Amino acid sequence: MSDKQDGRKGGIPKNFEPIPYEYHKELELDVENLTNLGMGICRDDGWVIMVPFVLPGEKVLVRIYRNHKNYSDADLIKVLVASNDRVEPRCELFETCGGCQYQHISYVSQLASKRSQVEEVFEQLADITPKVEEVIGSPSEYNYRTKLTPHFQKPRDGKIQAIGFLRNGQRQRLVDVANCPIATDAINEALPGARMELQEGFGLRKKRKGGTLLLRDSMGGVITDPDDIAMVKVGAKTYQFKAGEFFQNNSLILPLLADYVIGEAKRDGVQYLIDAYCGVGFFSIYGSEQFDNCLGIEISDKAIVWAKTNAEINNVDNCKYLLGTASEIFNDVPFAGEETALIIEPPRKGCDQNFINQVHSYKPKRIVYVSCDPATQARDLKLLSEMSYEIERVQPFDLFPQTRHIENVVTLSLG
């Protein structure tokens, strides 16, 4: 937590370590690069200093607020020489709200930076250096997010204070967010009423504690009850699911992502598709016409119910869904591995060793690995590479403009 962020007026923090810099030491530095967390990397006689909200090539004035064993953290005081890629942030809460990291960067530069981050993560964490394609950008740089979940804390003096997101650099304090420019117009139109309803109804609750407000942009309007059914159309397919459950939050780019993933899975005459971590059946249903048969596998019984429902809604009769166990994912698969493509879309933590081992035993002809975290993806790719799988293509998609996050798709074939 920086001095600027925690509101300190003067005193040195109790646990501050004054080596190699004294508290609030000011330095003029050049920005070399950005990390995958969106932080600028600067150096002072070789010592690394991390600074937010800067761009490569800029000269900046910074103020030290924390020293670590291998680097220091600093606040940005002033941009002395600005990059040509610096733009004016659209949100007045940028740098205060922790939701966005890149609103000060032109969109073309955001995409280039995210491509470089994938390259660096792969090389540093897995020692692999495949060609990374240029990032496919979102059709909209703002007003794309179809789910918003502002948080609120236990009230003080009988009233909820902030309804919003974590303040930048902090784990406890929230910043009040009345409008979010990366959320869809429909969500922003519904947000004031949802905030007012929460404030007015809070006093009627028996348990007056903090929580999360949900706004999900659905075909029928904005939903605020997590148990209500949301409906989203992607291409020619329609999907239903509970509003509080996972579904990708940028429906504008989803057709591009799905077309690419299915196209990669279908190459080389593959007949069958396995959609692992299938969720509500997104990829298998979207690409069902391209394969003789599709099989979705999930360890969540609730997700399997929705996948089956979505197959019925879309009149898809060649997709089946199995409730698998972590130790027996492929036991009931009726297709031979050499005729099958496997789509993997795991949670942020990636695949566990047991799943990777089962993939190796099953030996699908092709793997299309979709990940929201290139770091855990790189770890898994290293294991798959050691099991005779070769990386063919690496294609990032920007599902989350203005933020540091990137969706990355890697195609592998059995060597």
Side-chain angles (χ1 to χ4, degrees):
M1 178 188 309
S2 72
D3 175 75
K4 179 172 65 177
Q5 293 158 351
D6 73 4
R8 266 182 212 279
K9 300 298 184 182
I12 298 175
K14 182 178 180 180
N15 297 323
F16 181 78
E17 173 58 53
I19 298 173
Y21 301 106
E22 63 186 25
Y23 187 62
H24 274 186
K25 172 72 174 178
E26 294 187 2
L27 300 167
E28 290 187 11
L29 302 171
D30 295 318
V31 183
E32 296 181 3
N33 206 344
L34 297 182
T35 71
N36 64 334
L37 299 179
M39 299 292 287
I41 300 175
C42 305
R43 297 181 196 273
D44 180 39
D45 290 332
W47 184 260
V48 173
I49 300 169
M50 310 294 282
V51 187
F53 313 121
V54 296
L55 286 84
E58 292 188 329
K59 181 178 285 294
V60 293
L61 177 65
V62 307
R63 178 185 291 137
I64 301 294
Y65 68 87
R66 184 185 294 123
N67 295 310
H68 301 273
K69 287 185 178 180
N70 301 315
Y71 68 97
S72 297
D73 289 320
D75 281 324
L76 173 65
I77 299 176
K78 185 178 181 181
V79 176
L80 302 175
V81 179
S83 166
N84 291 332
D85 292 319
R86 180 173 284 274
V87 297
E88 190 68 24
R90 184 175 296 188
C91 181
E92 62 182 15
L93 295 176
F94 182 66
E95 295 190 21
T96 303
C97 173
C100 293
Q101 298 80 39
Y102 285 171
Q103 284 194 30
H104 63 302
I105 306 176
S106 71
Y107 194 51
V108 170
S109 186
Q110 287 184 41
L111 298 181
S113 178
K114 291 183 180 186
R115 179 190 184 191
S116 296
Q117 289 165 16
V118 172
E119 291 174 333
E120 291 171 8
V121 165
F122 277 21
E123 182 174 3
Q124 292 173 5
L125 299 185
D127 195 26
I128 52 179
T129 56
K131 177 185 177 183
V132 178
E133 304 291 339
E134 293 186 5
V135 180
I136 295 177
S138 172
S140 180
E141 301 168 25
Y142 286 92
N143 301 118
Y144 64 84
R145 190 174 179 89
T146 54
K147 180 184 178 185
L148 202 68
T149 53
H151 310 297
F152 58 95
Q153 295 172 332
K154 186 177 180 180
R156 296 199 305 268
D157 300 324
K159 184 179 180 181
I160 298 173
Q161 303 301 310
I163 303 172
F165 304 105
L166 287 175
R167 190 171 288 269
N168 179 52
Q170 299 193 12
R171 298 180 181 178
Q172 300 290 334
R173 298 178 63 194
L174 298 177
V175 57
D176 194 60
V177 177
N179 180 278
C180 180
I182 66 172
T184 63
D185 289 336
I187 285 179
N188 279 315
E189 289 171 5
L191 185 56
R195 286 163 53 91
M196 183 178 298
E197 184 178 347
L198 176 65
Q199 289 279 16
E200 292 176 348
F202 200 78
L204 302 177
R205 297 186 180 188
K206 293 181 179 180
K207 294 183 179 180
R208 300 182 182 182
K209 57 182 181 179
T212 300
L213 181 64
L214 169 70
L215 294 99
R216 167 78 78 172
D217 195 344
S218 174
M219 290 173 65
V222 176
I223 297 172
T224 58
D225 185 338
D227 290 325
D228 280 354
I229 297 174
M231 185 178 297
V232 174
K233 189 164 187 178
V234 181
K237 299 296 190 292
T238 301
Y239 299 89
Q240 291 185 357
F241 50 93
K242 283 195 174 182
E245 295 177 353
F246 173 78
F247 194 86
Q248 291 286 9
N249 294 333
N250 184 346
S251 58
L252 299 174
I253 198 175
L254 278 187
L256 299 177
L257 174 66
D259 284 339
Y260 177 85
V261 169
I262 296 303
E264 288 296 286
K266 181 59 180 175
R267 283 202 287 129
D268 299 334
V270 169
Q271 293 177 265
Y272 304 107
L273 175 68
I274 295 178
D275 185 5
Y277 303 92
C278 71
V280 300
F282 176 65
F283 284 118
S284 48
I285 291 171
Y286 191 92
S288 56
E289 291 91 347
Q290 303 296 317
F291 301 91
D292 292 348
N293 286 287
C294 303
L295 181 66
I297 304 175
E298 251 290 348
I299 60 173
S300 167
D301 54 351
K302 293 180 180 179
I304 286 291
V305 170
W306 283 110
K308 292 178 178 179
T309 299
N310 286 323
E312 293 176 4
I313 290 171
N314 290 283
N315 297 314
V316 171
D317 58 9
N318 67 334
C319 287
K320 306 298 181 185
Y321 295 94
L322 294 178
L323 181 64
T325 64
S327 60
E328 298 178 342
I329 294 288
F330 298 98
N331 277 18
D332 296 321
V333 173
F335 321 134
E338 60 267 22
E339 300 175 318
T340 303
L342 171 67
I343 294 176
I344 305 173
E345 190 186 15
R348 183 171 295 276
K349 64 181 181 180
C351 305
D352 62 28
Q353 182 69 56
N354 179 46
F355 178 84
I356 296 291
N357 290 340
Q358 291 182 71
V359 171
H360 179 54
S361 297
Y362 179 66
K363 291 183 172 56
K365 185 174 183 178
R366 306 181 64 73
I367 298 174
V368 184
Y369 189 150
V370 185
S371 174
C372 61
D373 188 344
T376 56
Q377 186 184 42
R379 177 204 65 202
D380 294 343
L381 291 174
K382 185 175 183 180
L383 294 174
L384 290 167
S385 297
E386 293 169 354
M387 296 175 176
S388 300
Y389 279 94
E390 298 176 354
I391 295 175
E392 293 185 344
R393 296 187 70 184
V394 180
Q395 179 61 70
F397 287 79
D398 190 23
L399 271 66
F400 315 105
Q402 316 309 327
T403 80
R404 63 179 179 82
H405 300 290
I406 185 73
E407 198 87 359
N408 196 48
V409 183
V410 177
T411 307
L412 306 99
S413 62
L414 190 60

